[in-house]
Amino acid sequence: MNDGRKSFPSVYFPVPKYRFVIWINIIISLVVSAIGLGLGFSQQWLPAQQIILYTILTAGSLFLLLNYTAKIFQTWLELSKADSDNEREKERRRTSLFLSQNRVLILSSLSLLILYLLLTASIPEFRSIKNLLCFLVLELILILAFKTSAYFAGGRSAFIGLIVLAALVIISSFSIEGFLSGPNIKAILLFAAFLGLASVGQTLVALMGGLDLSIPFVIGSSNIALLFLISAGVPSYVALGFILVLGGVVGLLNGVISFWLQGQALIVTLGTGFSIAGFTQIMTSIGSQYAGNVFGIVPKWLQNLAAMNGKFLGMSFPPTIVIWILVSVVTIAALRLTVWGRNLYALGGNRNSAKLIGISEFKYWVGSYVISGIFAALTGSLLLGWSGGAFIGVGDPYLFTTLAAVVIGGTSLLGGNGGYGFTVIGVLVLQVLTSFLLGIGLQYEWQQFIFGLLILPMVALYGRSPHIRATV
């Protein structure tokens, strides 16, 4: 019976034995389908929906056909070698191992292909040879980044993030006129500073294995509360200090309640955020018909801190960017070089082991949420200086982007792995990508969709590895 089975090739999904054959098949399939897509749209032979459908079918069919052909040829060459069931079992295991090791790359490549197809179908201006070449270059860079990242096991996600960031900058500079101009670079850094400051607390909380979904609500509440206090006659510096304290108090509530409930941080912080936002609107709208908005004069010093035309030491450079750089250096150094940082990683990695050596889980858990609340309040205050007006919804985009920056940077939401340096990379990737998407004319909804596609492979990247506490 065994000899009879040897003469038939596998009937399941055909996968060649050698990795380089699979990569050649992937590249050939993507190149041929991308060329067909470009030709289809340039010649306008068929409706856009049919062109996309045929492209997907072409890529999938060609990949299957190439794999099947290679598998048959390989089987023919190795029939004499496969003398036992053990040999076939080893081959099956090698195939499974290959798919397991490269599932992130496969998912990323497919996500990028789907994104390109959707953009090409939805935006007529996007249908150009230049964008097709950019897509192929980005695919090749992505493959290169994933394959070479194995040599940087200690910071694999950071290495991939830096490669993707460099690729986005290069592609954007060739695709969008003025992308590397001084004003555009300054705008990217300024908005990256807002997001980076808001993500400080999210990173610390994530390292502990928690989440803080109250950040956007604290940002919006502090934004309108600060201008309300200033308009009421409170000195601006005193009002800012009071807002930061209130942000810390919100973080304290989040930390204490979520620690007490154990494992309900997402629900607790979301509920706290809604409550704070509602209470702030009630208090600031007394005697006013405009709920959620506060009108007044923003102090000049606060405008200078965050406005695009702000000055730092006489230079046309928003001081908020400098604040973010200093905060980044201090946070990274504190996490890597201090006892506090080492204890934070220890608790995130394995709470039980950390408690056995005398580390207070309660203090570090609550402390992380307090820091998160303070930085969320600081971000809302700085956004007041940037916009010149107060609006409760100013923090809404940060509900998703702070989490996206942490995840894309490579910090594990399970805790114990990552750091703020990783988040800085994620912030820059998001802001450069946002600038690129705006440059090609995409709206906010498209940006959210693309950010979601970015998160999926990065979650798979750290999700494929066992949690650190499983190895302690």
Side-chain angles (χ1 to χ4, degrees), residues 407-423:
V407 172
I408 291 173
T411 296
S412 172
L413 299 181
L414 299 176
N417 187 26
Y420 190 67
F422 294 79
T423 300

Side-chain angles (χ1 to χ4, degrees), residues 114-313:
I114 293 172
L115 174 61
Y116 176 76
L117 295 176
L118 289 174
L119 290 175
T120 305
S122 304
I123 305 175
E125 295 79 7
F126 195 78
R127 304 165 190 171
S128 66
I129 297 298
K130 181 173 64 175
N131 288 332
L132 173 61
L133 293 176
C134 288
F135 161 72
L136 295 176
V137 169
L138 191 57
E139 283 280 16
L140 292 175
I141 291 176
L142 189 65
I143 293 173
L144 176 65
F146 271 89
K147 300 312 294 182
T148 57
S149 65
Y151 298 100
F152 301 89
R156 185 182 184 190
S157 58
F159 174 78
I160 295 175
L162 289 173
I163 294 295
V164 172
L165 177 62
L168 285 173
V169 171
I170 294 172
I171 292 174
S172 300
S173 62
F174 282 102
S175 303
I176 303 173
E177 184 178 355
F179 181 83
L180 293 180
S181 63
N184 191 57
I185 294 298
K186 186 165 63 174
I188 290 175
L189 291 178
L190 179 58
F191 286 104
F194 292 137
L195 177 57
L197 290 172
S199 300
V200 171
Q202 192 72 275
T203 303
L204 299 181
V205 170
L207 287 174
M208 291 287 294
L211 280 176
D212 189 355
L213 299 187
S214 69
I215 288 176
F217 303 102
V218 176
I219 290 175
S221 298
S222 61
N223 186 265
I224 64 173
L226 177 59
L227 187 56
F228 177 80
L229 292 175
I230 293 174
S231 301
V234 180
S236 57
Y237 292 101
V238 176
L240 176 60
F242 182 69
I243 291 299
L244 295 181
V245 171
L246 288 182
V249 171
V250 174
L252 179 65
L253 290 174
N254 282 331
V256 172
I257 297 174
S258 61
F259 183 84
W260 178 55
L261 293 179
Q262 285 297 323
Q264 304 299 326
L266 187 149
I267 298 174
V268 169
T269 55
L270 190 62
T272 303
F274 276 118
S275 300
I276 295 300
F279 178 76
T280 305
Q281 290 183 81
I282 292 173
M283 296 302 296
T284 56
S285 62
I286 294 177
S288 172
Q289 58 180 335
Y290 301 104
N293 295 274
V294 175
F295 300 96
I297 299 176
V298 179
K300 294 294 184 182
W301 66 268
L302 186 56
Q303 292 183 23
N304 180 71
L305 274 181
M308 280 291 295
N309 59 353
K311 302 288 185 180
F312 177 73
L313 299 179

Side-chain angles (χ1 to χ4, degrees), residues 202-211 259 343-349 351 360-366 368-369 411-417 469:
Q202 192 72 275
T203 303
L204 299 181
V205 170
L207 287 174
M208 291 287 294
L211 280 176
F259 183 84
N343 289 346
L344 193 71
Y345 279 105
L347 282 167
R351 297 183 183 181
S360 173
E361 181 186 359
F362 176 78
K363 291 181 180 179
Y364 280 86
W365 180 273
V366 174
S368 297
Y369 278 96
T411 296
S412 172
L413 299 181
L414 299 176
N417 187 26
R469 70 170 57 98

Side-chain angles (χ1 to χ4, degrees), residues 26 29-35 37 52 55-60 63 105-121 126 132 135-136 138-139 142 449 453:
I26 291 175
S29 302
L30 289 176
V31 170
V32 171
S33 59
I35 292 174
L37 180 69
I52 294 174
T55 301
I56 295 174
L57 292 176
T58 299
F63 181 63
L105 176 57
I106 295 172
L107 179 60
S108 301
S109 300
L110 290 176
S111 299
L112 191 59
L113 177 61
I114 293 172
L115 174 61
Y116 176 76
L117 295 176
L118 289 174
L119 290 175
T120 305
F126 195 78
L132 173 61
F135 161 72
L136 295 176
L138 191 57
E139 283 280 16
L142 189 65
F449 171 73
L453 288 182

Side-chain angles (χ1 to χ4, degrees), residues 351-396:
R351 297 183 183 181
N352 294 329
S353 298
K355 286 190 290 186
L356 289 176
I357 60 175
I359 301 176
S360 173
E361 181 186 359
F362 176 78
K363 291 181 180 179
Y364 280 86
W365 180 273
V366 174
S368 297
Y369 278 96
V370 169
I371 294 174
S372 181
I374 292 174
F375 274 99
L378 176 62
T379 303
S381 302
L382 291 174
L383 284 170
L384 176 63
W386 171 76
S387 64
F391 172 53
I392 188 66
V394 71
D396 290 350

